[in-house]
Amino acid sequence: MNIINKKKVLAFIQEDFHSEVLDFLFELINEIDKDIKMILYNTIDRYDNKKLYLEKYTNLEVRNLKNFIPDLISDVFDKVIIASYDNIFHLELLQNYKEKFIYIAHSEKHVRSFNLLEMSYFSLTPLLDKEKYMLPIVNKTSGPKLAKTISYDIYNNIRYLQSVAQNDNLEIIITVGYFFQHNKDLPLINKLLDSKKILLLVFSPEMSNELSYYVKKYPKNVFYGNSIPTELIKHYITFLKIKYLLFCPPKNSSYVKNSWSGTIAFGIDNLLHLILPKEIAEIYGLIGIEKIVPYKDSDDILIEINNKNDNINSLQKWKDDIFIKNKKLLQNLICF
C-alpha cells in the first residue's frame, strides 16, 4: 500500500443518546477535507439522527459497534472521536491506544480522568474547559422540513394539534428532552400555562411523573410526543409553523455550572426562537442576537410571543465565529 496516498479515515463512537452532537463535527470534517472518510460505530440511535446524517454526508459510513475493536487493531482508521463512552467500555480499557483517541468531555469528572490519563479531549462548553471546547453548532443551518413519509396516526395528531391551537388562539411552544423537575423550571411552566396563551408540545424519551401531572392538569394546553425521531420533530415544526423552543432549566442548574444542552443547538439549527434563561444566553454570547429570547421571568416570554423577529443576520455572524474557532481546534486535535 502506498502510505503517502492513503485516504484519511476518522471514526466516531457514540451511545444512543449522544448522536445529536455529531452533525457539527461531520460538517467541520468536510470543511477541512472532503476526502476524509468518516465511520460511525453505532447502529443504535434513539432519535434516528444517523438517517439524516447519511443523507447529508456522502463520505459517512455506519458500522455495527462490534466492528470497532477489530478495526482498531487492524488500523482501519487514523483517529477516533469518542462522543460518549461511559456505558460502552471502561476508559482504561483502551489506554494503550490513546494516541488515536479524542474524547468529548461531558462532565468535570470526565475532564479529571482525561487529564490524569493524558488523553486528548475537548468539551462542548467553556464551563468545563475555557480553552479546549467546541460549541456543537452547525454552521450551515438545515432548518426544519417535512418528512418524506409519516404514519396515519402522526398525520391525525398533527391535524388535531393544529385545530386546538387555532380554535383557542394558542401559540405553540415546544420542548425537547427529558421532562424532570431537576431540568425544568416548573414554576415558570406553571405561569406560562396558566396564562392560557400557549400550547406546550413536549418531545421526550419517556413520560415522567412531572409531565404526566401537566398533561392531566392542562389537557388542552400540554401534549406529549414519545421518542419521536428528529425527522418527525422537524415535520411537526414545519407543518404547524412552530416558532418557539423553550429551554428552561431550574435556577442554579448544571447548565450554568458545567453542562451544555443539545436543546440550544436544536433550536438554533431549526431557526426557532430559542427561549432560554438570560444567564445562559450570557454564557454563550447570545444576548442581542435575533431569534434568541433571553428571559428573567415568564412575563418576558409572554411579551415575546407578540414580537416575532425573523431576521438571522447576527445569528449567522455568531455561528460563523464559532465555526472558525471549532475548525482551528479540530485541526489541531486530529493533526491531518
Side-chain angles (χ1 to χ4, degrees), residues 110-273:
H110 283 177
V111 171
R112 289 194 297 270
S113 297
F114 299 148
N115 283 329
L116 179 65
L117 297 174
E118 297 182 327
M119 291 180 163
S120 296
Y121 74 91
F122 63 91
S123 73
L124 301 175
T125 168
L127 295 170
L128 284 177
D129 193 307
K130 294 186 182 302
E131 298 297 327
K132 292 186 288 187
Y133 76 91
M134 288 189 278
L135 291 188
I137 300 294
V138 175
N139 185 256
K140 297 177 181 177
T141 299
S142 60
K145 60 181 180 179
L146 293 174
K148 294 177 182 178
T149 58
I150 60 170
S151 69
Y152 187 70
D153 288 342
I154 292 291
Y155 175 81
N156 282 338
N157 181 248
I158 291 175
R159 284 293 191 184
Y160 177 69
L161 289 170
Q162 185 181 49
S163 66
V164 171
Q166 289 177 347
N167 291 340
D168 294 335
N169 195 27
L170 302 175
E171 187 72 49
I172 301 177
I173 297 178
I174 68 169
T175 67
V176 295
Y178 287 100
F179 198 103
F180 295 115
Q181 187 169 357
H182 73 266
N183 61 14
K184 291 287 184 295
D185 186 341
L186 300 185
L188 177 83
I189 290 175
N190 281 329
K191 290 180 180 179
L192 290 175
L193 292 171
D194 285 338
S195 74
K196 304 300 182 182
K197 293 182 178 179
I198 74 164
L199 185 158
L200 186 65
L201 180 53
V202 180
F203 294 106
S204 178
E206 64 182 50
M207 173 64 80
S208 64
N209 290 333
E210 293 86 347
L211 181 53
S212 176
Y213 166 80
Y214 283 105
V215 169
K216 293 174 182 176
K217 183 177 180 181
Y218 302 95
K220 287 191 175 182
N221 294 87
V222 180
F223 295 86
Y224 164 56
N226 177 28
S227 297
I228 303 293
T230 300
E231 182 184 33
L232 286 181
I233 295 178
K234 288 174 176 282
H235 185 95
Y236 274 84
I237 293 170
T238 301
F239 192 93
L240 294 172
K241 299 179 181 178
I242 296 171
K243 289 184 174 290
Y244 294 99
L245 173 66
L246 175 64
F247 173 53
C248 61
K251 294 177 175 60
N252 299 318
S253 72
S254 62
Y255 298 111
V256 298
K257 298 175 183 177
N258 52 37
S259 293
W260 167 261
S261 173
T263 301
I264 298 174
F266 184 87
I268 291 173
D269 187 43
N270 286 283
L271 294 178
L272 295 167
H273 293 257

Side-chain angles (χ1 to χ4, degrees), residues 135 137 247 260 264-265 268 274 276-294 314-316 318-319 322:
L135 291 188
I137 300 294
F247 173 53
W260 167 261
I264 298 174
I268 291 173
L274 176 61
L276 76 171
K278 184 177 180 181
E279 187 175 8
I280 295 177
E282 288 174 340
I283 291 171
Y284 298 110
L286 287 166
I287 299 295
I289 303 294
E290 292 103 345
K291 285 187 172 288
I292 304 300
V293 186
S314 63
L315 178 62
Q316 188 58 52
W318 178 83
K319 291 169 66 178
I322 289 171

